């Protein structure tokens, strides 16, 4: 029967398999660090790191790259591609999927027409460069955390995807919604007319916990010493700087939001119904905890809660991140510096 009446696997089944192959994943956030003017000369990521990530059970690497930043600073694309290609070669050697992510773009409500053309042109160049790479191993995430109006982003995303398809019809693309890849905007997003897209979102809720003390966010996260889950006896006083900001609102909401059930309620309430309605795969390309002020055990409990919640919903997840200020390690990446509670959190059992 197989010879006389061969059957083919439906394309949507293959797409869901591709999505599942992305989890568990982790971000190597090195090429997005725009604050480091010498980042392309940084050689701290080596083959040792890929061996370690393989040992820990990760299946995919997401590589955020600040392409616009490098271009603005007259860094030749070839110099950036040199570093990307080293990562790609190591991913091939150790069996990782790779997602190249267009990080820190310059798309605004005012410039979106010209900027969309620019982004499309960039991705067409990338599509030509990587046209021979396996479509089930190398993925393009077209734009990280768009902040433009929903309608503008829908139009921009459609045009970027359409532009890529003129060069590469097989590459699986990742597309998120506006408002920083929000789950709420995703739930209102109308899927694109392309059958080879995995839709992505970021999840850092409750933000009051995951970003506590992060200076780049501002006063709303000035309250530190917040544990997960919520503990009334150890709950800190509201930092005066957070008064009259969203941080004050979130302070009083945390007694209800700071628990595993709340994570499930939000993901099950917004992401899962949308994915089921459109019959498309989704992936969480970022989740994690800023590690300067959150205590180790709270970070472990949160990451485990997110991993198990995503698994229960059959949604692949990618940790933010490997070796910077959201790192899962207590010091330089190594098995010795991976706390026992974090081993349990990421599901490493050896």
């Amino acid at each position: 029967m197989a010879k006389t009446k061969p059957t083919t696997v439906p394309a949507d089944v293959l797409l869901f398999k591709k999505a599942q192959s992305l989890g568990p994943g982790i971000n190597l956030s090195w090429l997005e660090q725009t604050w480091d003017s010498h980042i392309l000369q940084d050689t701290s990521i080596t083959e040792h790191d890929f061996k370690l990530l393989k040992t820990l059970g990760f299946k995919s690497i997401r590589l955020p790259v600040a392409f616009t930043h490098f271009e603005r600073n007259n860094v030749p694309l070839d110099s950036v591609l040199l570093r990307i290609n080293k990562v790609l070669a190591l991913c091939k050697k150790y069996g990782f999927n790779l997602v190249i992510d267009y990080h820190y773009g310059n798309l605004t409500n005012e410039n979106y027409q010209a900027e969309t053309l620019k982004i499309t042109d960039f991705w067409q160049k990338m599509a030509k460069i990587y046209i021979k790479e396996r479509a089930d191993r190398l993925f393009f995430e077209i734009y990280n955390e768009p902040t433009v109006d929903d309608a503008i982003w829908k139009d921009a995303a459609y045009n970027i995807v359409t532009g890529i398809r003129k060069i590469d019809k097989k590459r699986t693309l990742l597309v998120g919604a506006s408002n920083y890849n929000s789950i709420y905007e995703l739930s209102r997003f109308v899927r694109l007319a392309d059958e080879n897209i995995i839709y992505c979102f970021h999840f850092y809720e409750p933000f009051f916990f995951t970003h506590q003390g992060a200076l780049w966010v501002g006063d709303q996260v000035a309250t530190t010493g917040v544990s997960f889950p919520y503990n009334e006896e150890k709950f800190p006083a509201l930092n005066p700087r957070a008064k009259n900001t969203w941080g004050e609102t979130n302070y009083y909401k945390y007694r209800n939001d700071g628990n595993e059930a709340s994570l499930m309620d939000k993901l099950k309430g917004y992401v899962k119904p949308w994915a089921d309605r459109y019959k498309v795969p989704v992936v969480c390309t970022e989740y994690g905890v800023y590690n300067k002020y959150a205590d180790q055990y709270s970070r472990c409990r949160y990451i485990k809660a997110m991993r198990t919640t995503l698994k229960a919903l059959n949604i692949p997840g990618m940790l933010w991140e490997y070796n910077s200020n959201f790192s899962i390690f207590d010091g330089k990446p190594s098995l010795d510096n991976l706390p026992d509670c974090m081993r349990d959190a990421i599901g490493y059992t050896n």
Side-chain angles (χ1 to χ4, degrees):
M1 287 293 291
K3 290 181 180 179
T4 58
K5 293 184 179 180
T7 58
T8 57
V9 179
D12 59 341
V13 173
L14 294 175
L15 186 62
F16 275 86
K17 285 184 176 180
K18 284 184 183 180
Q20 287 300 317
S21 75
L22 294 177
I26 196 165
N27 284 264
L28 289 182
S29 65
W30 146 65
L31 292 178
E32 59 86 32
Q33 295 175 13
T34 57
W35 55 91
D36 185 347
S37 60
H38 303 291
I39 197 62
L40 285 181
Q41 287 73 51
D42 187 311
T43 56
S44 59
I45 300 294
T46 67
E47 187 167 352
H48 159 81
D49 299 288
F50 287 81
K51 290 180 181 177
L52 175 59
L53 290 170
K54 188 71 174 179
T55 298
L56 293 177
F58 291 101
K59 295 180 181 178
S60 62
I61 304 294
R62 181 173 180 257
L63 188 67
V65 186
F67 291 108
T68 300
H69 167 78
F70 291 125
E71 181 184 28
R72 191 183 300 125
N73 287 275
N74 300 312
V75 176
L77 180 58
D78 285 348
S79 297
V80 182
L81 292 176
L82 186 65
R83 307 317 298 268
I84 293 173
N85 290 338
K86 287 183 178 179
V87 172
L88 177 59
L90 287 167
C91 283
K92 288 180 178 181
K93 183 173 182 178
Y94 290 96
F96 292 105
N97 297 315
L98 178 63
V99 177
I100 299 176
D101 163 50
Y102 188 99
H103 220 72
Y104 296 136
N106 191 38
L107 188 68
T108 68
N109 288 335
E110 292 71 34
N111 73 2
Y112 81 95
Q113 290 182 323
E115 195 66 18
T116 297
L117 289 173
K118 183 178 175 182
I119 297 166
T120 303
D121 180 66
F122 165 81
W123 277 120
Q124 287 182 327
K125 290 178 183 175
M126 293 288 281
K128 290 175 183 176
I129 291 167
Y130 293 108
I131 191 69
K132 294 183 179 179
E133 296 296 336
R134 285 177 54 176
D136 61 339
R137 302 296 267 174
L138 177 65
F139 301 77
F140 294 160
E141 187 172 339
I142 67 169
Y143 196 94
N144 180 71
E145 296 190 343
T147 57
V148 293
D149 291 344
D150 292 353
I152 288 176
W153 172 239
K154 174 72 184 297
D155 184 65
Y158 171 80
N159 282 289
I160 295 166
V161 169
T162 301
I164 295 172
R165 291 294 178 235
K166 291 180 179 179
I167 308 298
D168 189 339
K169 300 187 185 305
K170 296 182 179 180
R171 183 78 47 206
T172 300
L173 308 177
L174 273 65
V175 178
S178 57
N179 194 21
Y180 302 94
N181 286 32
S182 161
I183 63 169
Y184 308 108
E185 301 307 326
L186 180 64
S187 72
R188 293 185 279 269
F189 193 69
V190 179
R191 61 157 292 181
L192 300 178
D194 188 284
E195 301 302 322
N196 197 11
I197 292 176
I198 297 169
Y199 291 86
C200 58
F201 63 93
H202 294 173
F203 194 88
Y204 288 106
E205 296 194 26
F207 200 74
F208 176 76
F209 164 72
T210 64
H211 281 67
Q212 59 184 290
L215 293 177
W216 67 92
V217 176
D219 289 343
Q220 66 165 309
V221 292
T223 304
T224 58
V226 182
S227 62
F228 184 90
Y230 169 76
N231 184 323
E232 184 176 5
E233 293 181 357
K234 297 181 179 179
F235 198 49
L238 177 70
N239 188 305
R241 290 177 18 231
K243 284 186 176 294
N244 302 314
T245 71
W246 278 109
E248 183 172 13
T249 303
N250 293 332
Y251 178 87
Y252 294 108
K253 287 174 61 180
Y254 191 67
R255 66 184 68 245
N256 298 317
D257 287 349
N259 56 72
E260 185 171 353
S262 178
L263 307 182
M264 173 62 82
D265 287 346
K266 290 172 182 175
L267 292 170
K268 190 175 181 180
Y270 289 93
V271 177
K272 195 65 174 171
W274 183 85
D276 291 344
R277 181 167 74 250
Y278 285 114
K279 296 181 173 57
V280 293
V282 291
V283 56
C284 178
T285 48
E286 288 187 23
Y287 73 93
V289 186
Y290 181 48
N291 59 24
K292 186 172 182 178
Y293 296 101
D295 71 87
Q296 182 183 103
Y297 292 103
S298 288
R299 290 172 52 237
C300 290
R301 287 190 289 264
Y302 179 85
I303 288 172
K304 182 175 183 178
M306 275 298 299
R307 178 177 64 83
T308 56
T309 299
L310 289 168
K311 184 177 181 180
L313 296 172
N314 204 31
I315 298 173
M318 306 181 81
L319 271 168
W320 186 277
E321 34 117 28
Y322 178 60
N323 69 331
S324 191
N325 53 18
F326 282 64
S327 174
I328 60 175
F329 300 95
D330 184 13
K332 187 176 180 180
S334 69
L335 280 177
D336 289 341
N337 288 336
L338 186 66
D340 288 342
C341 71
M342 192 61 76
R343 293 179 181 224
D344 178 57
I346 66 172
Y348 175 64
T349 55
N350 292 351

